[in-house]
Amino acid sequence: MRLIFFYRNMIFHPQSYTLADRPGEPFIDPAEIEQMLAETASPSLEQVRQVIARSLGRERLSLRDTAVLLNAEEPAARALILESARQLKQQIYGNRIVLFAPLYIGNRCINHCAYCGFRAGNRAAIRHTLSDGEIARETRALEASGHKRLILVYGEHPAYSPEYIAHTVQLVYGTKNGSGEIRRVNINAAPLSVEGFRTVRRAGIGTYQIFQETYHPEAYARFHPAGPKRDYLYRLTAFDRAMEAGIDDVGIGALLGLYDWRFEVMALVRHTNHLEACFGVGPHTISFPRVKNASEVDSRPEHLVSDDDFIRLVAILRLAVPYTGLILTAREPAALRDRLIEYGVSQIDGGTKLEIGGYSSDAPEQNLHREQFQLNDERPLSEVIRSLIERGRIPSFCTACYRKGRTGEHFMEFSVNGFIKRFCTPNALLTFAEYLENYADPATRQKGWQLIEAEVEKQTEATINTALRDRLTRIQSGEKDNLF
Ligand code: SAM
Ligand code: SF4
């Protein structure tokens, strides 16, 4: 509660919109977003500079400010946006990058999302829901590779009730593999009622994530012709119900390719503002997946986002909502993922398998009929980590804030002086050290410890430095789960 009070008073500047922010009520007005984009067309370099100065000064950008950045087409302005996002990311978050893996529980689905391999009418899809034994086997395989954070993913089906989802979450928490364990379980599942959200909250979920897909109501209707997901407003207000049920850790997102990406970025910021206005806390993370090939999906959407625009979009989000985690998944190829980390991405998945049951089986290659969409980064976790180390990034498996009851950690990272120094960097290093000691090959271990040493050197505050060195030594002698 203290955090929310702080958040409300320090950051939130109410903005007036045509649709007032009331829990459970619509808040996206497409005409208003289009108008703001039109009014800010062709901004001068000076206008772009002023907006960026606000962001670098740790001021939260307004929706109109965001529109200015989205409209910046001049090469100099675009370069400035990229450079400033890189600066902000480096100054505030440093070199940490959080790692997780998705675990697909089942692909039964009663919806007809035109882009998705799991959609009800797709007869080519090979359907399967993991049994309890298979969930445990998959979890152990993920633990054996070093993972500590999972997101469980479900199709939408009466079989995947809140009680069933809660059961699978608890099953994953309860499955250990030697000293391997999952310490944070997030979920990505269809919108629930308030009571349904209470049920999954009691199971101890971390983040509840769901994507609006497209915030544009007409485009939404085209891509979701039948099934419960047709109801745009029920999905749009899912987080309002989650918050009412006491889940204040939520992840929003848009599936890029269904409508104009500038509109979607504006709507993501508008959604953030809505949650802040109604509940005093914004989303924990934002996701921005691009539509990929999927089983029997024959037409490519007309609003495909180019790599260049994708990079701009990530940089603009970084500047617009600086205290929100940005997630980029293995839908994107490795080289692009590496670039986007520079501009603001803070969480990536590693060693991802989308095939249901894929972590504990040895399927040689992707089979789209068993998967939701095509994966473009198929590196195992160990390789993702090697590559991060080579770039001087600290792979983090940190779950400390969630387990110590410090929700809203990205916000605290951004706004509480010294928070990153005291908590985030030390905890990232401790979880990375634990990974190196228990899961890494000798060469990775050696390079990883060199990186840790260099980071510890940067900790100039004597008390933190000493405490950190002491804990790192304890991890080297076999201690686990040591966190600040
Ligand atoms: N069934 C639930 C739902 O639709 O909310 C759970 C999420 S679904 C399994 C995960 C997400 O994958 C979807 O919300 C959608 O954004 C994304 N997705 C679906 N098809 C995709 C595709 N062809 N390419 C990229 N992402 C896709
Ligand atoms: Fe089902 Fe979700 Fe795929 Fe839509 S996106 S068809 S709801 S699994």
Side-chain angles (χ1 to χ4, degrees):
M1 278 331 273
R2 271 211 354 251
L3 165 72
I4 290 178
F5 178 78
F6 178 72
Y7 190 108
R8 215 171 236 153
N9 286 286
M10 296 301 288
I11 293 281
F12 176 59
H13 308 297
Q15 306 179 25
S16 53
Y17 298 112
T18 51
L19 295 172
D21 285 293
R22 290 194 200 91
E25 289 189 16
F27 53 87
I28 295 286
D29 177 354
E32 181 179 54
I33 291 179
E34 307 282 8
Q35 191 187 335
M36 253 189 226
L37 282 168
E39 284 169 1
T40 52
S42 313
S44 67
L45 185 57
E46 187 46 37
Q47 279 174 298
V48 173
R49 269 209 188 98
Q50 284 169 7
V51 170
I52 287 177
R54 279 200 280 285
S55 176
L56 293 181
R58 298 195 176 206
E59 230 183 85
R60 170 80 157 71
L61 295 189
S62 67
L63 198 55
R64 188 170 289 274
D65 285 340
T66 309
V68 169
L69 298 185
L70 288 166
N71 272 317
E73 291 295 341
E74 293 295 317
R78 288 171 59 161
L80 184 66
I81 288 172
L82 293 192
E83 190 39 47
S84 308
R86 188 205 305 267
Q87 199 183 325
L88 188 99
K89 146 103 181 173
Q90 202 54 37
Q91 266 173 14
I92 296 184
Y93 296 101
N95 287 326
R96 290 166 299 128
I97 184 98
V98 170
L99 288 160
F100 70 95
L103 172 53
Y104 277 72
I105 299 294
N107 64 353
R108 293 173 78 184
C109 195
I110 52 172
N111 285 316
H112 297 261
C113 313
Y115 43 79
C116 177
F118 291 170
R119 70 196 178 284
N122 182 13
R123 292 177 172 231
I126 300 164
R127 309 268 168 194
H128 185 60
T129 301
L130 296 176
S131 66
D132 284 3
E134 287 170 328
I135 293 176
R137 207 165 67 204
E138 290 283 281
T139 304
R140 282 195 291 272
L142 284 156
E143 288 167 345
S145 68
H147 272 296
K148 298 283 182 274
R149 305 168 59 110
L150 298 186
I151 179 154
L152 308 190
V153 188
Y154 313 77
E156 178 162 0
H157 194 275
Y160 309 144
S161 63
E163 290 71 25
Y164 174 74
I165 293 174
H167 165 72
T168 55
V169 168
Q170 281 164 337
L171 190 58
V172 169
Y173 277 129
T175 303
K176 315 279 176 191
N177 185 351
S179 58
E181 61 181 356
I182 299 303
R183 297 176 184 156
R184 178 174 173 129
V185 181
N186 301 331
I187 63 168
N188 181 321
L192 303 174
S193 63
V194 175
E195 205 35 60
F197 279 123
R198 286 205 179 100
T199 303
V200 298
R201 183 177 70 90
R202 283 194 293 269
I205 62 163
T207 305
Y208 168 64
Q209 182 190 67
I210 192 182
F211 307 150
Q212 185 60 27
E213 319 299 11
T214 171
Y215 283 88
H216 195 274
E218 281 152 32
Y220 188 92
R222 271 202 305 282
F223 284 99
H224 307 98
K229 196 164 163 180
R230 270 185 73 191
D231 191 338
Y232 170 92
L233 187 59
Y234 189 69
R235 196 170 181 90
L236 190 69
T237 52
F239 297 114
D240 299 25
R241 294 190 298 284
M243 293 269 181
E244 194 184 329
I247 299 174
D248 64 359
D249 191 329
V250 300
I252 66 173
L255 179 61
L256 301 174
L258 309 188
Y259 194 66
D260 178 46
W261 63 270
R262 291 177 184 80
F263 181 93
E264 305 294 10
V265 171
M266 290 288 280
L268 286 166
V269 174
R270 181 69 187 88
H271 201 162
T272 301
N273 294 348
H274 171 75
L275 294 174
E276 287 178 348
C278 292
F279 307 101
V281 60
H284 183 69
T285 57
I286 299 184
S287 300
F288 31 83
R290 289 194 293 185
V291 176
K292 299 293 169 186
N293 293 338
S295 162
E296 307 291 307
V297 172
D298 43 28
S299 62
R300 310 218 72 200
E302 62 186 287
H303 292 286
L304 280 185
V305 179
S306 70
D307 284 359
D308 276 355
D309 285 343
F310 197 45
I311 294 169
R312 279 168 79 185
L313 166 165
V314 169
I316 291 171
L317 275 174
R318 179 67 305 147
L319 293 166
V321 284
Y323 47 85
T324 305
L326 297 184
I327 300 182
L328 183 68
T329 68
R331 288 175 179 85
E332 301 300 338
L336 187 58
R337 296 227 287 173
D338 287 339
R339 283 194 70 192
L340 285 166
I341 288 171
E342 285 177 46
Y343 298 120
V345 165
S346 55
Q347 291 191 24
I348 59 169
D349 51 343
T352 292
K353 296 266 173 68
L354 292 186
E355 191 156 316
I356 296 179
Y359 291 109
S360 51
S361 69
D362 291 320
E365 54 196 40
Q366 293 185 55
N367 174 352
L368 279 190
H369 300 315
R370 291 183 187 277
E371 301 177 7
Q372 194 184 17
F373 48 79
Q374 191 178 336
L375 207 59
N376 287 295
D377 181 355
E378 295 187 76
R379 294 172 298 170
L381 178 64
S382 54
E383 215 174 301
V384 172
I385 288 195
R386 260 200 307 278
S387 146
L388 289 172
I389 295 173
E390 269 156 28
R391 289 176 168 71
R393 305 264 169 215
I394 309 164
S396 170
F397 295 89
C398 183
T399 55
C401 283
Y402 157 70
R403 288 159 69 225
K404 295 250 177 193
R406 298 190 296 251
T407 52
E409 67 249 35
H410 292 306
F411 172 69
M412 291 197 272
E413 290 171 9
F414 182 71
S415 51
V416 178
N417 263 344
F419 189 88
I420 292 188
K421 237 196 231 162
R422 268 187 296 141
F423 295 107
C424 310
T425 307
N427 281 331
L429 292 172
L430 292 173
T431 55
F432 180 37
E434 193 178 331
Y435 172 86
L436 292 173
E437 286 304 296
N438 295 287
Y439 306 99
D441 60 64
T444 307
R445 191 174 306 148
Q446 192 195 3
K447 285 193 183 139
W449 275 104
Q450 283 167 1
L451 182 61
I452 290 178
E453 186 50 42
E455 287 294 325
V456 177
E457 281 292 305
K458 290 186 205 159
Q459 286 281 3
T460 45
E461 222 170 287
T463 46
I464 301 177
N465 192 300
T466 313
L468 182 56
R469 282 192 188 283
D470 170 53
R471 288 173 187 238
L472 285 167
T473 312
R474 276 157 40 196
I475 286 174
Q476 266 175 321
S477 346
E479 199 172 299
K480 305 270 171 355
D481 200 15
N482 194 322
L483 47 92
F484 284 96

